[in-house]
Amino acid sequence: MNRNSTLCVNFGRAATQFVFSIIIVAAIAAEPTIAWAAHPASRISIDASEPGKPISPDLFGIFFEDLNYAADGGLFAELVQNRSFEYQATEQKDWNPLTCWEVVTYGKGRGSLDVDAGRPLHLNNPHYAVLDVAEVGDGVGIRNAGFDGIVVREGETYDVSLFVRQLYVDRRWGGRPIGDEEEFSLIARLEDKQGEPIGETTLRYSGSDWLRAAGEITASRSENDARLVILTKTQGGIALDVVSLFPGNTFRNRPNGLRRDLAEVIAALKPHFVRFPGGCLVHGNGLSNMYRWKDTIGPIHERREQANLWGYHQTVGLGYYEYFRFCEDIGAKPVPVVPAAVCCQNSGYTAGMGQEGLPMAAMADYIQEVLDLVEWANGTADSEWGAKRAEAGNPEPFGLEYLAVGNEDHITPVFEERFRMIAEALAEAHPEITVIGTVGPFPDGPDYEQGWRIANALRLAIVDEHYYRPPDWFLENLSRYDRYDRAKSQVYLGEYAAHERDRRSTLRSALAEAAYMTHLERNGDIVRLASYAPLLAKRGHTQWNPDLIYFNNTDVRPTINYYVQQLFSANSGDEYLTGEMAEGDAVGSIAFSAVRDSQTQDIILKLVNNSGESHPLQIELAGAEQILPTATWQVLTGSPLAVNEFDAREPLTPQESQLAVGESFSYEAPAHSLSVIRIHTQ
Ligand code: AHR
């Protein structure tokens, strides 16, 4: 039996168990006095009479990092790889500026491809390709196969653009002069692996200076492994840079936009906030690799591309403007992270010894850079930086509330001195911004303690905690935040995930996270924000497992853990209702929470059964008024080792139904399950 068929059996069992539970629950709902099971029901009493304890309305969000080809080759919809000829051997040893490109000739055409940096488009974008055409034949061009092939769909349009400069005509030395008005053309063509055309357009340009040329190609058929060819029929030499191909059909049809299917799956999480752009990516591999937000805005050919610390390249085509725009598009608050003026402690493979700080002489400029970010996001369109946002397409401010400084940095004197300078400058210039500090990569230990010491000393609003631990750790630490001092900083649990030994995204790991999340809700007065990490991973290009969503060029596959995040985020509330579980078999097996959404007055009950037995429960809603008899009921259940394999035909997903409820009702929590019961009121 292969792995797939094993899974089907597991899902089959899960489904049977689920149907069985529904029958039992229906019976109980109709006649609550019937004692049906061997176990006596455990009583859960919820006090719904008073407004509950206020909990953060922003609690559940997402963390996006350009890791695992999440941005380039992933969410960022650009289809050409190495579009700006900036790949370097320092990123991958067999890379160079011409990686992913090859010369193609048609008929008797002859040509060669080279790289130059003599007269670049922009200093931030130093390299470009030079195509020398010795003999035209039926055309000479360059070809790019994208990120593992270019996916095109019949009838859809693709926006092609590039910068081109006619260097010489006829021959390199001694060719004739080029007139300012002299016209040239290129053909931009989509073709399959065998060279069969799928669509093309003509791009026109003139003179001998850099010019942008753009057009649209309509695909005549669907193809998952297409190539883009840029073809000339002029003998001579041309320089090419920022050769780009975008689907017209991006998320919300945005130019320079996001891959629609992937963005839609992220949007369906209904995140309340998005933390970006990292992670370790932010503090970078060495000081020169820190993520500097100003390098990521403005025209794409002026952005400064750089190595991605995860072993590849970042075009920053998905830059700060696009991140903020995405947040706005999905109704999530932006939580940008800026480096705390130190690089990653693991820079240069130094195993924790590689942290360096910006020289003190550079700090004034760096602090200004951070302050400028606030003006860029929130300033009026006539402020210096607000004008740049407006020019990019957003005259209205983005409404930045949170700003994280640092990412799980090693807490050293070098860090502390710089962090204090940035945090104090922000507090003085922008008291309206909630600054998020950092307390290291672990749930305890020296960085955690020193990070908290600084937070207490500076009276920081929020600190960012990170931890990746086995499922049992989460179950054993449910009460972690019960003990936190409410007079101190609040917490952003910026990165967490339950890690199985083999790093697979099992139902067991998802349920451990779910149980923990019920307690994040209980502590939603001190835990202000929380996000699972990491979010995205491209198959075949994954540096970190597990991730919430896996994808390739054509498909997107949410894990079981994704559905847990979605169930919590889509069913969050802003009041926590006190609840107690009386003695009974379910104690120790069931984690639960009850929240109210003050807008709708819905009461939302979440029940996580981590045990291998179903548990009968008697639920009492004291003081709840005008409860409607039918609740919305979602259940995620199956074998604890179930995994949504990439090719699974029947992935494990929540099942939705209705449930008869009242002020007192019975419920059977299936073995290994998360149940979400949304109780509506009149
Ligand atoms: O989420 C993956 C990585 O884990 C992040 O980049 C880093 O902050 C943490 O170590």
Side-chain angles (χ1 to χ4, degrees), residues 345-360:
Q345 52 267 31
N346 297 314
S347 292
Y349 306 107
T350 47
M353 304 301 289
Q355 185 188 74
E356 278 183 281
L358 281 180
M360 275 299 145

Side-chain angles (χ1 to χ4, degrees), residues 298-335:
I300 54 171
H301 67 281
E302 294 181 8
R303 299 185 186 183
R304 196 170 67 85
E305 306 197 359
Q306 65 167 345
N308 180 316
L309 142 157
W310 294 104
Y312 56 106
H313 183 87
Q314 37 180 340
T315 65
V316 296
L318 171 51
Y320 259 46
Y321 179 72
E322 290 75 21
Y323 281 119
F324 274 78
R325 186 178 63 184
F326 182 50
C327 291
E328 205 165 69
D329 280 347
I330 63 174
K333 292 184 180 174
V335 183

Side-chain angles (χ1 to χ4, degrees), residues 63 65 67 279-280 310 407-408 466 468 495 533-534 544:
F63 161 48
E65 176 165 18
L67 153 72
C280 290
W310 294 104
N407 170 67
E408 62 174 54
H466 294 178
Y468 300 93
E495 297 182 22
W544 181 290

Side-chain angles (χ1 to χ4, degrees), residues 177 234 260 367 370 483 507:
T234 303
R260 181 184 283 272
I367 289 169
V370 176
R483 299 185 295 272
L507 176 64

Side-chain angles (χ1 to χ4, degrees), residues 5-330:
S5 52
T6 309
L7 259 181
C8 289
V9 170
N10 285 341
F11 288 150
R13 276 195 204 126
T16 314
Q17 188 176 35
F18 179 63
V19 170
F20 177 69
S21 301
I22 291 176
I23 294 165
I24 298 294
V25 169
I28 289 172
E31 185 50 87
T33 52
I34 293 174
W36 67 274
H39 305 294
S42 296
R43 186 175 305 276
I44 293 181
S45 311
I46 312 285
D47 181 5
S49 59
E50 301 291 332
K53 177 175 70 169
I55 60 177
S56 168
D58 300 333
L59 188 53
F60 298 121
I62 57 173
F63 161 48
F64 179 94
E65 176 165 18
D66 186 5
L67 153 72
N68 306 321
Y69 279 66
D72 293 296
L75 185 60
F76 185 51
E78 173 64 75
L79 293 165
V80 173
Q81 186 170 188
N82 191 17
R83 67 179 180 184
S84 294
F85 307 94
E86 297 299 339
Y87 275 19
Q88 302 293 336
T90 45
E91 297 168 317
Q92 290 194 8
K93 66 177 181 336
D94 52 353
W95 274 6
N96 63 60
L98 296 178
T99 295
C100 304
W101 293 98
E102 58 186 334
V103 181
V104 277
T105 55
Y106 297 83
K108 293 210 162 110
R110 257 189 325 115
S112 61
L113 186 62
D114 214 339
V115 63
D116 197 9
R119 216 178 128 199
L121 255 179
H122 193 273
L123 286 179
N124 282 345
N125 185 5
H127 300 102
Y128 53 90
V130 172
L131 178 65
D132 178 77
V133 181
E135 202 168 317
V136 167
D138 294 332
V140 176
I142 57 171
R143 181 162 62 193
N144 187 289
F147 296 87
D148 305 335
I150 293 173
V151 175
V152 294
R153 289 290 166 257
E154 183 180 341
E156 298 209 351
T157 57
Y158 295 84
D159 298 323
V160 60
S161 65
L162 48 77
F163 284 84
V164 57
R165 186 155 70 89
Q166 189 69 38
L167 298 171
Y168 49 91
V169 182
D170 296 339
R171 56 190 167 276
R172 182 170 288 187
W173 306 113
R176 65 170 174 76
I178 299 170
D180 285 350
E181 308 293 317
E182 187 169 348
E183 294 202 339
F184 302 96
S185 65
L186 296 169
I187 293 168
R189 177 183 294 164
L190 283 168
E191 55 179 47
D192 66 16
K193 227 172 159 178
Q194 287 71 39
E196 291 300 317
I198 302 173
E200 66 178 44
T201 189
T202 301
L203 306 176
R204 299 187 193 284
Y205 62 101
S206 58
S208 59
D209 264 334
W210 281 114
L211 275 183
R212 183 172 182 274
E216 193 179 275
I217 305 176
T218 303
S220 58
R221 62 186 166 85
S222 296
E223 172 60 58
N224 289 346
D225 196 10
R227 276 94 177 98
L228 175 69
V229 175
I230 306 296
L231 196 65
T232 175
K233 291 189 179 172
T234 303
Q235 188 170 338
I238 52 172
L240 292 163
D241 207 353
V242 198
V243 181
S244 166
L245 181 74
F246 261 88
N249 182 18
T250 56
F251 183 62
R252 301 277 164 95
N253 298 316
R254 299 292 199 183
N256 197 43
L258 306 181
R259 190 176 135 180
R260 181 184 283 272
D261 56 350
L262 207 41
E264 281 173 351
V265 171
I266 295 171
L269 279 167
K270 300 201 188 311
H272 296 230
F273 67 87
V274 183
R275 173 181 181 239
F276 59 86
C280 290
L281 183 87
V282 167
H283 53 189
N285 182 15
L287 286 177
S288 63
N289 188 237
M290 288 192 323
Y291 193 100
R292 310 291 288 262
W293 75 271
K294 286 185 182 177
D295 290 337
T296 76
I297 60 165
I300 54 171
H301 67 281
E302 294 181 8
R303 299 185 186 183
R304 196 170 67 85
E305 306 197 359
Q306 65 167 345
N308 180 316
L309 142 157
W310 294 104
Y312 56 106
H313 183 87
Q314 37 180 340
T315 65
V316 296
L318 171 51
Y320 259 46
Y321 179 72
E322 290 75 21
Y323 281 119
F324 274 78
R325 186 178 63 184
F326 182 50
C327 291
E328 205 165 69
D329 280 347
I330 63 174

